[in-house]
Amino acid sequence: MTKFKDLNLSAETLRAIDKMGFEEATPIQADTIPLGLAGKDIIGQAQTGTGKTTAFGVPMVEKIDTKNDSIQGLIIAPTRELAIQVSEELYKIGSGKRARVLAVYGGQDIQRQIRALKQRPHIIVGTPGRILDHINRRTLKLENIQTLVLDEADEMLNMGFIQDIETILSNVPTERQTLLFSATMPGPIRAIAERFMKDPEMIRIKAKEMTVSNIDQYFVKVQQRDKFDILARLMDVQTPELAIIFGRTKRRVDELANALSLRGYQAEGIHGDLTQAKRLTVLNRFKSGKIDVLVATDVAARGLDISGVTHVYNYDIPQDPESYVHRIGRTGRAGKEGMAITFVDPREMSYLREVERTTKKRMTPMEAPTWDDALSGQQQAAVTELEGAITKNELTEYRTFAKNLLDQYNPEDIVAAAVKLITKEPDRTPVHITNESSLPQKRDNFRSKNSGGGYRKSGGGGGRQGGGRSYGNRDRKGSSGGSGGGRRKYSSNS
Ligand SMILES: Nc1ncnc2c1ncn2[C@@H]1O[C@H](COP(=O)(O)OP(=O)(O)OP(=O)(O)O)[C@@H](O)[C@H]1O
Ligand SMILES: [Mg+2]
């Protein structure tokens, strides 16, 4: 186990890391930081939620000369929310040294960004389009960049940002250090990386599977028309603390968020057609627990680090295995437990098998819960809530009522009535969800439709694991566990 204090960091940066609550470096951090400090170009691959941001953030911050007012570090990320999150993390790491960090992304007033750029930031974190925009307006000067990071590089390739990135790179000195990170590294990204990079070191945290072992992975075979009711029942059974539901299209996300709200869940949707302000509000409401279900397209699949996400539901199976890896990686972060449930239309089983081949991990089949299962889930949740109130013991004002009731009725009847009243019966309000056609049938098992050049891995397969159902009831909100404060210890999995 490597501690940060053994990594030859400056006292300022160590202090900042200490303030973040980190003591032990995660494996990707332990491997990346020394090589990064030595100035090497690095391709870093490690599972979701294992601290890649700090892995590239620390060497970048360490190299910043805060007496120099020019931009010395540039980080490119595929989505706006991720750019903001990464800038926040870099700000924390750089707080000891007082490094100035600025996020620039689309959808935010460009004049405001131009004013902020005049405040002489040392590090810029941005999305490709907006960075390019600033380059063209000559409001972003990159000639003193020493360290460049491409976070989620493979996604930027998928999204067709390659041309933008090449243009950005042509504005950055060739004498620079380049770091490239993701949980997935399909073949072509490596080929492209070689073009951008000098003799890169490949750091790959070895793991048996591509997904972290602390995420329990299930799939449910379900027909399109039954998906929504089954989703609602699953949530009633599992009572997730915070859940993300991924849908395939924007329409689907809107419809699901509406339908869930109709049924009484605190749910909102996020996708690329919303204004940036709306996207940020929804995300912040989710982070602060004002809503507990986030319905999203793949715009929220990459890199987002929201603590306390216990469940990820794939309402639609993703088209490619990489997307699956990142989606489910929104739970089970930094050693926490998580559960991922993927709906699969029987005609889409070949996609599921392809995901399994890529991740080298089998999903456990789960049976769709019935309405009665949902009811028992909610009853159990009511009991948990009751127990929470008993433990909390703020009951003084209620004791007289209790005594009076006990004088008149049988104790079992009283408690049963209480549980009944607290139980939120599964709702049957009719909702409308437009059927999406299932993914095209695959003839070729080795390549998915949008693989853009067939870089998907293939491998063993066959055979299904034993069935059985397993719903994993989780504690409800309110029993707030005492996890606050103190150091966070990273317990590595595998
Ligand atoms: N050394 C550490 N000790 C404890 N927690 C850590 C450590 N490093 C990072 N973390 C925490 O782990 C979580 C995940 O980190 P991060 O977002 O960097 O993961 P990632 O590897 O980039 O994941 P993804 O592939 O999804 O982008 C964050 O909440 C971060 O604060
Ligand atoms: Mg990340």
Side-chain angles (χ1 to χ4, degrees), residues 249-273:
T249 62
K250 296 167 189 164
R251 172 178 70 183
R252 173 138 270 185
V253 165
D254 285 335
E255 289 185 352
L256 274 175
N258 281 335
L260 286 165
S261 305
L262 265 177
R263 292 258 179 116
Y265 301 90
Q266 307 288 318
E268 288 187 48
I270 187 168
H271 57 64
D273 276 358

Side-chain angles (χ1 to χ4, degrees), residues 48 192 291 415 427 445 454 488:
T48 52
I192 284 173
I291 53 171
V415 178
D427 195 325
N445 268 340
R488 281 197 275 167

Side-chain angles (χ1 to χ4, degrees), residues 52-53 151-152 303 333:
K52 292 186 286 295
T53 320
D151 193 15
E152 308 289 349
R333 300 178 72 73

Side-chain angles (χ1 to χ4, degrees), residues 45-322:
Q45 179 178 11
Q47 293 165 320
T48 52
T50 59
K52 292 186 286 295
T53 320
T54 296
F56 61 69
V58 168
M60 174 178 276
V61 162
E62 283 291 67
K63 288 178 113 193
I64 302 287
D65 173 5
T66 46
K67 290 195 208 75
N68 177 337
D69 273 346
S70 59
I71 299 169
Q72 298 155 58
L74 177 66
I75 301 173
I76 314 179
T79 66
R80 300 159 179 189
E81 287 75 13
L82 185 58
I84 295 170
Q85 177 188 300
V86 170
S87 76
E88 286 166 352
E89 182 117 340
L90 266 286
Y91 171 81
K92 288 185 202 156
I93 300 170
S95 65
K97 290 185 69 172
R98 297 178 181 276
R100 292 186 292 272
V101 183
L102 178 69
V104 299
Y105 48 89
Q108 196 197 33
D109 178 23
I110 194 148
Q111 293 305 332
R112 196 167 126 198
Q113 279 173 7
I114 292 171
R115 281 196 299 278
L117 281 164
K118 290 188 177 139
Q119 307 294 311
R120 302 264 170 199
H122 300 114
I123 296 173
I124 298 290
V125 188
T127 48
R130 189 50 73 93
I131 292 174
L132 207 56
D133 198 350
H134 281 294
I135 291 176
N136 292 336
R137 289 166 186 254
R138 304 190 192 288
T139 44
L140 185 59
K141 304 229 158 35
L142 301 178
E143 66 260 13
N144 291 310
I145 295 286
Q146 298 193 17
T147 320
L148 176 101
V149 175
L150 301 174
D151 193 15
E152 308 289 349
D154 57 321
E155 175 71 350
M156 295 199 277
L157 251 194
N158 286 342
M159 292 169 83
F161 284 145
I162 187 69
Q163 199 56 51
D164 288 1
I165 287 172
E166 296 219 15
T167 316
I168 295 169
L169 289 188
S170 66
N171 283 274
V172 175
T174 39
E175 281 310 301
R176 60 155 195 265
Q177 179 181 15
T178 309
L179 311 176
L180 193 143
F181 279 77
S182 178
T184 50
M185 282 293 167
I189 191 73
R190 267 175 251 154
I192 284 173
E194 308 270 321
R195 265 208 349 258
F196 295 152
M197 302 174 89
K198 286 186 302 285
D199 193 17
E201 292 274 344
M202 178 88 193
I203 301 181
R204 228 173 154 169
I205 301 307
K206 285 223 172 58
K208 223 169 66 233
E209 294 147 6
M210 198 183 272
T211 48
V212 285
S213 61
N214 33 331
I215 309 176
D216 287 331
Q217 301 179 47
Y218 298 92
F219 74 88
V220 185
K221 261 195 199 180
V222 48
Q223 299 286 350
Q224 284 286 342
R225 61 173 181 280
D226 300 327
K227 278 186 176 180
F228 186 77
D229 280 326
I230 288 171
L231 172 72
R233 284 181 212 151
L234 268 173
M235 290 206 298
D236 287 342
V237 171
Q238 299 175 334
T239 60
E241 211 156 297
L242 289 183
I244 304 184
I245 302 170
F246 284 102
R248 193 172 292 150
T249 62
K250 296 167 189 164
R251 172 178 70 183
R252 173 138 270 185
V253 165
D254 285 335
E255 289 185 352
L256 274 175
N258 281 335
L260 286 165
S261 305
L262 265 177
R263 292 258 179 116
Y265 301 90
Q266 307 288 318
E268 288 187 48
I270 187 168
H271 57 64
D273 276 358
L274 303 176
T275 63
Q276 190 51 33
K278 177 74 182 165
R279 277 165 68 166
L280 288 178
T281 330
V282 172
L283 201 62
N284 285 333
R285 283 166 59 72
F286 184 59
K287 282 187 188 163
S288 62
K290 291 200 181 78
I291 53 171
D292 43 32
V293 183
L294 180 72
V295 191
T297 56
D298 276 316
V299 74
R302 292 267 181 164
L304 292 190
D305 183 65
I306 300 163
S307 74
V309 175
T310 50
H311 290 68
V312 169
Y313 298 94
N314 284 313
Y315 193 83
D316 301 304
I317 189 168
Q319 296 204 26
D320 62 292
E322 283 78 14

Side-chain angles (χ1 to χ4, degrees), residues 26-50:
T26 65
I28 186 76
Q29 292 162 356
D31 285 1
T32 304
I33 293 171
L35 283 174
L37 292 174
K40 296 290 293 181
D41 279 9
I42 297 169
I43 300 179
Q45 179 178 11
Q47 293 165 320
T48 52
T50 59

